[in-house]
Structures are given as C-alpha cells and as structure tokens.
Amino acid sequence: MNQRIGIDVGGTNTDAVLVDANGVVGAIKSPTTVDVTSGVRGALTELINSIGPSAKQVDSVMIGTTHFVNAVVQRKDLNKIAALRVTLPGSASLPPLVDWPKDLARVVNGGSYFISGGNEFDGQQVVPLDEDAVVKAAQSIRDSGITSVGITASFSPLSSACEDRVAEIISHECPGIRITCSHALGRIGLLERENATLLNASLLDLATNTTDAFRKALDDVGITAPLYITLNDGTVTSSELARKFPVYCFASGPTNSMRGAAFLSGLQDAIVCDVGGTTADIGCLVNGFPREANNVVEIGGVRTLFRMPDLISIGIGGGTMVRENPLGVGPESVGFRLLEEARVFGGSQLTLTDVAVASGLMDVGDKTQISDLPETLFTAALATAHQKISLTIDQIKTDSQDVPMIAVGGGAPLIPEKIPGISEVHRVPFHGVANAVGAAIAQISGEADQVFQDFTRDDALAAALEIAIENAVKSGADRQSIKIIEMEDLPIAYLPGHAIRARVRVVGDIAAKPKEC
Amino acid sequence: MTVSELKSIEISDMKNIALGGSFLGTGGGGDPYIGRLMAEEAISKNGPVPVLDVGDIEDDALIIPVAMMGAPTVMLEKLPRGTEAISAVETLQNFLGKKATAIFCLEAGGLNSTIPIAVAATTQLPIVDGDGMGRAFPELQMVSMTMGGISACPMAMADEKGNSIILNTVDNLSTEKFARVITVEMGGAGLIALYPMTGAEAKKSILRGSLSLINSIGSIIHSEQAANRNPADRLAHDLKGIRLFEGRVLDVDRRTEGGFARGNCIVQGLGDCSGTQIKLEFQNEFLIAQTQDGIPKALTPDLICLLDLETGQPITTEQIRYGFRVIVFGLPCDPLWRSKQGLELVGPRYFGYDFDYKPIEQLNAVL
C-alpha cells in the first residue's frame, strides 16, 4: 500500500492518521470546528507536525464526513429542488415527496412535474417521451429560480436513455443547472430511488461547498495528492463524484470504524464494539466488511434503499452520566462537554470516564478529583456498563460458536475482558482513531442492479458483473485488483418468461495514477 | 383470538394494516407499502372507509373483490396511475348492469392487503371485513369463493394506459391462465375486479374478519416493537400461533420455474434450537417447513412467516439473505382450507411437494 492520510470529521473530534504498507505511521485527534476548512487544516497541520514534512508527499487523502447526513437530519444547508417524474400515464397516484416528513418536504420542495415517458419491465418505452412537456417544465424551473433537479423515469436502471434525454433537454433549456438522474443511484423501486435522487439533488450546494473546503484545507498545508471521500460501504470515491452524489457518503462513519478495526486487528470476521463519547456501536464484520441491515433504511425520516451497516447502538460511552442513589448508568451523556463536565477534568458530573479512571482502566485528567468515590459505587457502575455491552453483543451475534471481538473507540477501556460468547477481546493500538484508519484504507467499489430479460442466470450475472466492474473503473479503481464481494440473482415472480434481477458489487484498489481531482 | 373489530379505516390505521398485511403475506405477495400510501392519499381526500360485517349486508347487494395482478417487482417501479381501480370496477359494473354496494379484499396478504382499501376510498364505497385467502397465495383460483362455487368471471382488468378487458372463462383455473398472459401485455401488472357476488353468496363463501385480523397483527407488532420486545411471543399467544424455530439463514437457493420464484432456504438454529436446522420451501410464499431429516413442521395452507429476530418485522422470500437472524413462525390456516376441496386447491401436492397435509398443531404437538 502506498502512503495515505485518512481523516474522520466527527461531531466532536476530527481524527487524522497516516497509513502505509507497514501500518499506522502517525495519528492525532483535534477538535472539529464550525468552519470546515480550518478544522481539517488544523488536524492536517498537527499530523504533519507529529510525523514531519514528508507527510505532505502522501499519495492520497481520504475524508469521511457526517456533514451530509446531518444536513438531512437537521434540515439545514439543503437547497430547493424540482422533481421530474417521467412515468405517465403510470405512477400518477403517488406524487414525489409523498411520504416525506412534512418539515423536510417543505424545505426542499421546489415543484414537481409529471412527464409522459419511461420504460416497461423489459426496457421498452411505455409511451414516447413527451419532449414538449420536458421543455415546458424546464422553462418553469428556470423561471422559478431552482438550480437543482432530480429526474426519475420508471425502470431507468434497465435503460437510462429516457432519463439521459430529459437531462439533455433540461441542461439545454437551463444552462448551469445541476441534474441528478435516478439511474445513477441504481436499484429497482421507484419511490425509494426517487427519494434518494431528490435527497441527493438537495445536497448539491452543501456537497460543493464541503468538498471545496476540504480541498482548500489540503492546499493550505501543501498537500497536492488527490482527495477521496468515503462512502457508506467502506469504499471511497473521488471528490468529483462525491460532489455529484453526496447521498453515497451518508453512513461512512460507522463503516469506517469497523473497517479500521479489521485492519488494526488483522481479523476479517469478528464483532466490533466501538465505544465513543455518547454511544457504543456494536456491529459484525463479515469478510472484512460490515454486515448490512435487513430493513429499509430511513434517512431523516425518508425511505431509501441504501445499504447501511447492521448496528445496535446503546447509550454507553466515555461521557455517559452516572447517577448515585439509586445507581443509574446513561443513556444521557455530557457529549462534547466531557472535557469540562467530567469530575476528573474538574467538572461536577460523574461520568463513565471517571468510573474508568477510578477503576484504573484509563489514565486521564486529575485522579485526585475522584479520590472520594466509594469503591462500591464505581465497581457497580462499571458492572452495569459491562452488562449492557454484553447483552447487546449477544443480540448482534449470529454464530452460536464463540467469536472474537475487536474493541475500538476512545472509550474502548470500558469494554470488559470476559464476555459470554466472545472468545477473545482484541485490544489494538490506535483504537481511538479506528474510523480515520478505516477511511485511509478504503478501496473503490462499483455496483450493478438490473433486470435482464431472456438471459440465462449465468449470462445475467456475467452482464451485471461487467457493468459493476465498469462502474468501479469509472470511479477510479484499478481493473486488475477488482474483487467480487457480493453477487446474487432474484428471479422476477409472477411473469412468464425469464426476467432475472441481478445484483453485483465489486471493490478494487485505487488505480495507481488516478485522475487529478 | 383477541382481535378487535375494525369499524372504519382511518389514515392512522393504515400502518398497522400494512404491517399485518405483510405478515399474512407469508413471504410473498409484494410489499403493502404502495397500497398503504395510495389508501392514505385517498382517505385524506374522501374520508375514512367504512368497514362492513358481511352479516349486515343485504342478500341481493353486489360485492366486488379487487386486487392487483402481476409481478410485485414491476409494481415497485410502475406505481398505479390511480384510475385503473375505477376503470376495472366500472367496467365490471357496466357489464353486469348493476352498481356495487361494497368492495372486497381478494387477498389479505402482501400488496393486495392494502390495494382494495385504496380502491374503496377512491370509489367511496365501503369495504367488507374479510378476504378470499386469509393469507397470500399465488393464483386467482386459490380463494374460498372457488370452494363456494362462485365464478371468478365475469372479470375486469384495467391498466394505466386506459385499456380495460372483460374475461369469461369456463372455470376459475382458466381465468388465472388467461389473465396472467394479459398482465404481461399490460406491462407486467394490472388492476382486477372479479368474483362479483351477492351478499348471500358472500355470507357463505368468504373468510370473515380478515381486515380486523391484519389490523390487530400490525398493532401487536408495532406495540411490542415500541416496548423493545420481539412480537413473536404475543403473536403466538394471541393468534394461537407457534414459534417453530429460531436461527440464522445459512443458505438460500432460488430458481425461476413457470414465472414463479421457487427455492428453499436453510436456517441454522440459535439459542434453544442450536445444533439443528430447518429447511423452508417457497414458491413466492413459504409453503413447507421441515427438519433436516425431512420431518414436516408446517405445511401449506397453514401459514409460515419469517420474522426478523430482533424486530419481529416480516421478511419476504425476495429479501432473505445469508446471515439474517430470523424466527420461523407458524399459524393455523382458516379451517375451510383444511377441507378436501381446500387441500386440492392449495395443499402441498398442488405445489408439487410429496407431503400429505397435516395441521400444524398436530405436527408440533407437545408429547
């Protein structure tokens, strides 16, 4: 592996690491700032100071960020969008944004337009595209001052021609407008794909500003290496693509932390317990990647088909409040105020960090501040935290055999040594910056999810694989290094004939000479 | 069974009904989500849908069952235009020269559990508390009305382009065969209105209380989820169901035959079931549950539902993937299905499995 810097921009801390073929070279933690550029610049400066100026010569920089998902959850920094639905005469019963939380819909809704067109399940046209209607919609969008549109046509994952033609007309009529086409976000399921498309369209201003701010931070400290942004699935994309598809960056935090745990421990299959300031996130690594959740994933109340890691979060972290008489542990947390409010830092709130220091598990702050703490209290509080963690691990486990567990996150010392069903708790160096490590080691992925008509199963899978590989290469993967990580076929029920839906996901290393971003 | 009677359907009932509908989907029948949204839209426009007990309906009233026919996957992409329902019902009414008194739900499992409510709300007709299957089944003739000697025809089909077609066939199996071909021409899915029947016929042949049942199931699952309990125990208690197995999906094998997603999945035991396996056979719906030694634990037409081990959320045969942690849950079918005629329509042998039907209570009797 060449030299890479991985950065995780979290709510409280920005972590940065430099990783090469031998492992982690250096790591730092610095506070996240409201101004994106100065926070990342601060973290990079600190990292360079700790390693030396050679750190500027890295081959690539990977950044994981929660900016985009937070924007949706908090309904801020979103731009207004126009929705184009190309499905008439079908699908008119349920308009775009139909099942969105009202407050979010109000923020982003810049008008919906229904157009005749789209495809049938075999990729054929339902009816010819009504180009005049598209032109009219484009003029109305232009007059309304909307600068971002989402286009969704029925069965567009089978044939993108219809959406492409609509996009062409719109960009001709509305110069400079930004367009998200639903086929680029994959997946069968019109409403969910449209939701993802519209969320994406509403994040484009923020995505441009954020990636520009990241790039500027790199330039400021003299790093010229290409910038990559980490995605939900533990892989990265070029900042150029992230700018166009911010929705793919939604859940990168937990994924990075689990991938980092795999790298730091050398284990590919294990439970990962990541104890942060507010929560412990417990998930399961399979083949070095997080196991994904079964269910439809809602982002800020919007139904999508994104794959997210299957995690259980509980209110156990370094900042978790501990109450006496009667004893209570969490789920409330002092959060980012830990350094002011915890007893060992001179505050007045008893937290699990104080309990860990009193128990000799951590060595931070001023021990004398808690010398009056009765042993019965801190041992009972610790036992409660241990029990909550153990119970959750039992829930996430799928194997009746004992399995190994990797302890990561700043609060990792709170994880007990002995847990029922766990063969061994692996404590790893740099556990506090596992998420930044996960960002640094990320690869590039490509996916295909399409319906194939009159293909044999093998031919359909082969065709899907080819599309997935091309998508990965387009995103900057080295063709030679590509590996399949998921491949499945689903026959389409209740239709005579041979319609098969095939889904393939591949990953590969970043190509040696990626395009400058 | 503690099922509270549903008197009218409001917007706030639709989440429970949709969840209960996906439970009775027994792994197939598509996602009730789209029908739920359509019903919510129509109810917000036209007001709540009155729910009628079939006993209160005049003997000479006309009842029209409705459903979506075709591939659920297609319906994920091609949402209804909204006019198909009215078109199908009107086409049938015009053919019969009579107006419908109430809409009826052909299939209370899967997508079709919610579509008729949307149709009732749109046409501003009441809906009868009942259905023809008590679950999901893959074919049109697999309804209690077939056992009651009621013809599926005349049957109306309508699509989003404005096409509407009337079918008259010699028997209900033929209706299924012709209609299936027409759905393909309609782009993979169409709305159907069929089995027109009088109040008197309905009283003799429908399965009663199905809408109240799915509403109760949905409300149990939601309230147990909210209390962080797996709903399986309360469902078992309240519905006389059986928690058949608990484990992790080890293998899924799918293939298409004659337009059906056939296959099986093997679940490796966890907890009390450690060291054993159960094998589920499916053809869109789950039809057979058997041990690794081939001993049956549940057979169609009894219901086999797969639930997420943590949340109790129903899992469809399309969704199952390696590693899912699941509960296999069994529920006795309506006694009508256990008749000779019922088993000929939907018993294990109709689906090509070499098992003689035995009720799930007997297969799992505690010795």
Side-chain angles (χ1 to χ4, degrees):
Chain A
M1 195 197 295
N2 45 26
Q3 283 210 326
R4 295 141 163 235
I5 287 176
I7 301 175
D8 178 83
V9 186
T12 315
N13 285 316
T14 297
D15 301 342
V17 299
L18 194 146
V19 171
D20 71 8
N22 300 316
V24 179
V25 178
I28 61 98
K29 249 182 198 304
S30 79
T32 296
T33 56
V34 179
D35 161 37
V36 181
T37 306
S38 64
V40 173
R41 187 173 49 216
L44 283 170
T45 307
E46 222 179 295
L47 185 70
I48 292 164
N49 289 343
S50 77
I51 296 169
S54 66
K56 292 181 191 174
Q57 307 309 315
V58 289
D59 297 282
S60 43
V61 177
M62 281 80 170
I63 301 185
T65 175
T66 51
H67 278 98
F68 306 132
V69 71
N70 285 347
V72 175
V73 172
Q74 298 166 12
R75 281 91 164 109
K76 58 169 203 190
D77 300 327
L78 301 171
N79 47 265
K80 278 216 187 296
I81 47 139
L84 264 83
R85 172 87 74 76
V86 192
T87 56
L88 286 183
S91 301
S93 59
L94 298 172
L97 308 171
V98 60
D99 197 23
W100 286 39
K102 297 280 171 286
D103 58 337
L104 180 56
R106 231 185 346 262
V107 172
V108 303
N109 190 0
S112 296
Y113 302 87
F114 278 100
I115 313 278
S116 293
N119 308 294
E120 299 275 19
F121 66 90
D122 53 4
Q124 291 181 31
Q125 280 190 340
V126 182
V127 293
L129 174 65
D130 184 350
E131 300 204 355
D132 292 343
V134 180
V135 172
K136 271 196 203 121
Q139 288 162 350
S140 158
I141 290 166
R142 195 180 51 207
D143 294 345
S144 66
I146 299 288
T147 58
S148 178
V149 301
I151 302 170
T152 312
S154 49
F155 283 108
S156 67
L158 268 73
S159 161
S160 63
C162 178
E163 286 183 358
D164 288 340
R165 177 65 189 138
V166 174
E168 198 181 351
I169 296 172
I170 300 274
S171 34
H172 182 257
E173 295 291 327
C174 313
I177 202 159
R178 286 158 310 167
I179 297 173
T180 308
C181 281
S182 83
H183 70 263
L185 295 167
R187 305 270 160 150
I188 301 286
L190 185 85
L191 283 183
E192 292 83 359
R193 191 173 68 249
E194 180 179 70
N195 287 348
T197 305
L198 300 181
L199 279 178
N200 193 74
S202 73
L203 284 165
L204 291 181
D205 282 350
L206 181 65
T208 303
N209 296 340
T210 310
T211 47
D212 282 351
F214 289 157
R215 184 69 255 177
K216 181 159 189 313
L218 263 58
D219 292 343
D220 286 353
V221 298
I223 292 177
T224 56
L227 168 64
Y228 294 88
I229 308 293
T230 68
L231 306 179
N232 301 338
D233 63 359
T235 62
V236 290
T237 189
S238 68
S239 66
E240 270 313 306
L241 271 174
R243 206 183 252 271
K244 287 185 189 144
F245 300 110
V247 288
Y248 278 152
C249 313
F250 272 167
S252 65
T255 306
N256 286 342
S257 137
M258 293 184 67
R259 296 266 302 141
F263 177 80
L264 292 170
S265 65
L267 297 172
Q268 295 291 297
D269 297 278
I271 303 282
V272 177
C273 183
D274 180 359
V275 185
T278 306
T279 61
D281 299 331
I282 299 167
C284 195
L285 272 175
V286 180
N287 293 327
F289 282 87
R291 189 180 66 208
E292 289 169 333
N294 299 1
N295 301 330
V296 166
V297 175
E298 289 195 353
I299 306 285
V302 178
R303 190 173 150 117
T304 70
L305 293 175
F306 293 119
R307 299 276 189 80
M308 298 287 183
D310 187 7
L311 289 181
I312 303 181
S313 290
I314 50 169
I316 295 288
T320 298
M321 297 185 193
V322 177
R323 292 174 305 274
E324 307 170 43
N325 301 324
L327 180 74
V329 179
E332 304 82 5
S333 166
V334 297
F336 66 89
R337 300 184 311 275
L338 180 69
L339 291 182
E340 294 111 61
E341 300 205 355
R343 294 271 296 273
V344 288
F345 297 118
S348 59
Q349 175 64 50
L350 189 62
T351 66
L352 278 178
T353 296
D354 301 309
V355 168
V357 171
S359 312
L361 294 171
M362 280 191 202
D363 186 14
V364 293
D366 179 5
K367 231 180 183 165
T368 60
Q369 298 283 346
I370 47 166
S371 52
D372 61 327
L373 209 59
E375 188 174 345
T376 48
L377 175 65
F378 67 73
T379 46
L382 191 64
T384 307
H386 282 179
Q387 196 197 5
K388 287 191 179 184
I389 292 173
S390 295
L391 280 175
T392 311
I393 286 166
D394 190 50
Q395 284 174 41
I396 204 94
K397 253 189 76 181
T398 55
D399 202 329
S400 54
Q401 307 290 313
D402 285 1
V403 292
M405 190 181 88
I406 312 161
V408 293
L414 288 167
I415 297 168
E417 278 309 319
K418 290 257 175 268
I419 300 171
I422 295 296
S423 55
E424 187 185 345
V425 176
H426 291 258
R427 311 223 174 238
V428 292
F430 302 107
H431 61 81
V433 291
N435 41 17
V437 173
I441 60 159
Q443 294 174 297
I444 287 185
S445 73
E447 197 185 78
D449 178 4
Q450 294 197 3
V451 176
F452 294 89
Q453 192 68 23
D454 292 322
F455 274 57
T456 65
R457 179 177 176 273
D458 289 349
D459 289 350
L461 285 174
L465 177 60
E466 202 172 307
I467 294 165
I469 292 174
E470 284 316 312
N471 285 342
V473 171
K474 232 186 283 170
S475 306
D478 169 29
R479 192 181 290 271
Q480 304 310 316
S481 69
I482 285 177
K483 270 189 245 155
I484 302 169
I485 51 172
E486 233 184 288
M487 197 165 194
E488 66 174 351
D489 63 297
L490 294 164
I492 296 193
Y494 297 97
L495 280 182
H498 295 280
I500 295 177
R501 174 175 171 185
R503 192 148 69 190
V504 177
R505 196 157 71 102
V506 299
V507 294
D509 296 332
I510 294 172
K513 280 197 167 61
K515 269 186 255 160
E516 188 55 48
C517 301
Chain B
M1 201 181 294
T2 44
V3 171
S4 58
E5 206 179 322
L6 196 59
K7 293 288 183 196
S8 85
I9 299 171
E10 321 254 346
I11 291 178
S12 56
D13 297 318
M14 286 310 303
K15 278 193 176 151
N16 284 340
I17 291 174
L19 182 56
S22 64
F23 181 89
L24 283 199
T26 59
D31 189 340
Y33 176 67
I34 284 163
R36 185 196 110 201
L37 292 185
M38 289 175 67
E40 288 170 353
E41 294 273 299
I43 293 170
S44 77
K45 229 176 266 160
N46 297 336
V49 177
V51 180
L52 304 180
D53 185 282
V54 71
D56 297 336
I57 293 177
E58 299 290 334
D59 278 352
D60 62 348
L62 173 64
I63 296 171
I64 296 186
V66 296
M68 286 287 274
M69 182 172 192
T73 314
V74 169
M75 293 175 214
L76 288 179
E77 271 298 315
K78 243 176 63 149
L79 315 178
R81 178 184 186 178
T83 53
E84 302 91 333
I86 297 168
S87 166
V89 171
E90 279 181 356
T91 303
L92 191 55
Q93 288 182 153
N94 291 342
F95 186 83
L96 294 166
K98 198 176 170 187
K99 294 264 181 211
T101 304
I103 294 295
F104 184 69
C105 173
L106 192 72
E107 175 183 35
L111 176 72
N112 276 327
S113 60
T114 50
I115 291 283
I117 301 168
V119 174
T122 309
T123 54
Q124 305 202 41
L125 286 169
I127 192 163
V128 179
D129 191 0
D131 83 319
M133 297 184 180
R135 51 169 294 166
F137 275 127
E139 296 178 0
L140 284 187
Q141 77 282 8
M142 299 175 171
V143 290
S144 56
M145 287 82 84
T146 299
M147 291 188 274
I150 296 170
S151 169
C153 292
M155 165 179 174
M157 304 179 70
D159 70 10
E160 80 282 7
K161 299 176 199 79
N163 298 303
S164 64
I165 292 170
I166 284 274
L167 270 78
N168 267 308
T169 63
V170 294
D171 57 31
N172 294 352
L173 181 59
S174 307
T175 317
E176 156 68 27
K177 292 191 168 153
F178 283 104
R180 190 68 58 189
V181 177
I182 294 169
T183 59
V184 178
E185 268 321 300
M186 287 183 162
L191 205 120
I192 58 173
L194 67 174
Y195 290 101
M197 53 187 160
T198 63
E201 287 173 320
K203 284 169 198 172
K204 279 187 282 185
S205 66
I206 68 162
L207 308 182
R208 299 189 185 204
S210 314
L211 299 182
S212 295
L213 176 65
I214 56 175
N215 183 50
S216 294
I217 292 173
S219 95
I220 290 174
I221 298 178
H222 276 136
S223 67
E224 294 293 290
Q225 280 175 347
N228 278 324
R229 287 190 295 262
N230 191 294
D233 288 329
R234 236 194 95 197
L235 287 171
H237 177 265
D238 288 9
L239 306 175
K240 304 219 179 327
I242 299 170
R243 238 180 124 130
L244 292 171
F245 201 76
E246 193 176 303
R248 184 174 71 113
V249 175
L250 196 65
D251 192 30
V252 187
D253 177 28
R254 292 189 178 90
R255 59 197 184 275
T256 332
E257 283 166 27
F260 289 123
R262 291 175 199 224
N264 63 64
C265 97
I266 293 170
V267 185
Q268 175 75 45
L270 286 175
D272 291 347
C273 306
S274 279
T276 59
Q277 290 182 349
I278 200 162
K279 186 176 174 192
L280 306 175
E281 301 279 351
F282 55 85
Q283 297 185 23
N284 302 329
E285 287 79 34
F286 294 107
L287 296 173
I288 308 280
Q290 58 181 314
T291 67
Q292 66 255 55
D293 308 319
I295 298 165
K297 303 301 279 179
L299 299 167
T300 173
D302 287 329
L303 287 72
I304 302 166
C305 309
L306 206 60
L307 306 178
D308 184 282
L309 184 61
E310 268 79 54
T311 63
Q313 199 74 22
I315 297 172
T316 66
T317 54
E318 280 195 338
Q319 288 170 335
I320 320 170
R321 295 165 72 198
Y322 170 82
F324 278 18
R325 287 150 292 152
V326 295
I327 291 173
V328 184
F329 191 87
L331 203 63
C333 65
D334 191 281
L336 263 180
W337 285 128
R338 295 179 169 181
S339 65
K340 182 164 174 288
Q341 209 187 352
L343 293 174
E344 274 168 15
L345 276 176
V346 294
R349 293 198 189 275
Y350 179 85
F351 292 100
Y353 299 109
D354 190 18
F355 283 108
D356 288 319
Y357 174 75
K358 271 203 192 84
I360 186 169
E361 309 89 289
Q362 286 177 29
L363 292 174
N364 296 280
V366 184
L367 296 175

